[in-house]
Amino acid sequence: MSISSTLFYLFVEIMYNPKEAYNDLPLLPPINELETKKVLKQAISATRVLAELKGRANEIPNQSMLVNAITLQEAKDSSEIENIVTTQDNLYQAFTANTNITDAQTKEVLRYRQALWCQVIFII
């Protein structure tokens, strides 16, 4: 058993008790000031960088290729956590081809990608 899994096991067994409510949560809204000078300066900086990114994104001829690559990579990486492993080659071939000849792992990753897109559309 690895050290991280041992620590997690200890946390779950010792610190967490599902039969006991944790009612020592702080009241909302927080008492501390959230909009400090430091936070506002970082927000201004982030806005500037996002505007630059938006300008650069307009230079990409087909932006959906970039977005699809990111969601495919996220779906692949998240599926590996659940021991569903496929290759990049299989994934891109199945994504671009109109064929039903793919292995079960690749199909599952593509379903995960589709679920991600459903969440994006739901949020928008």
Side-chain angles (χ1 to χ4, degrees):
M1 190 180 281
S2 70
I3 293 174
S4 60
S5 61
T6 304
L7 291 175
F8 180 74
Y9 176 77
L10 288 174
F11 170 76
V12 170
E13 290 297 316
I14 297 171
M15 307 272 304
Y16 177 72
N17 183 359
K19 296 179 182 175
E20 182 179 311
Y22 181 74
N23 293 324
D24 294 334
L25 296 172
L27 298 176
L28 293 175
I31 298 170
N32 299 344
E33 177 87 25
L34 293 179
E35 294 180 356
T36 63
K37 285 184 178 182
K38 184 177 180 181
V39 169
L40 291 175
K41 285 181 181 180
Q42 288 294 322
I44 292 168
S45 175
T47 302
R48 188 177 313 117
V49 171
L50 284 172
E52 183 179 338
L53 179 63
K54 185 177 180 183
R56 294 282 183 163
N58 290 331
E59 296 174 6
I60 299 173
N62 188 356
Q63 294 178 13
S64 65
M65 294 261 312
L66 176 64
V67 175
N68 281 325
I70 291 169
T71 56
L72 277 172
Q73 186 64 44
E74 169 61 24
K76 179 183 174 294
D77 292 344
S78 295
S79 296
E80 283 180 1
I81 294 170
E82 299 170 8
N83 205 22
I84 300 170
V85 180
T86 187
T87 64
Q88 293 284 4
D89 289 342
N90 289 347
L91 193 58
Y92 283 104
Q93 286 173 1
F95 181 69
T96 57
N98 291 328
T99 180
N100 293 332
I101 306 172
T102 56
D103 58 306
Q105 290 85 4
T106 304
K107 285 182 183 179
E108 186 62 30
V109 172
L110 290 175
R111 285 189 205 106
Y112 189 93
R113 179 205 161 271
Q114 186 177 9
L116 284 174
W117 272 112
C118 289
Q119 288 300 317
V120 168
I121 292 170
F122 179 73
I123 291 170
I124 294 174

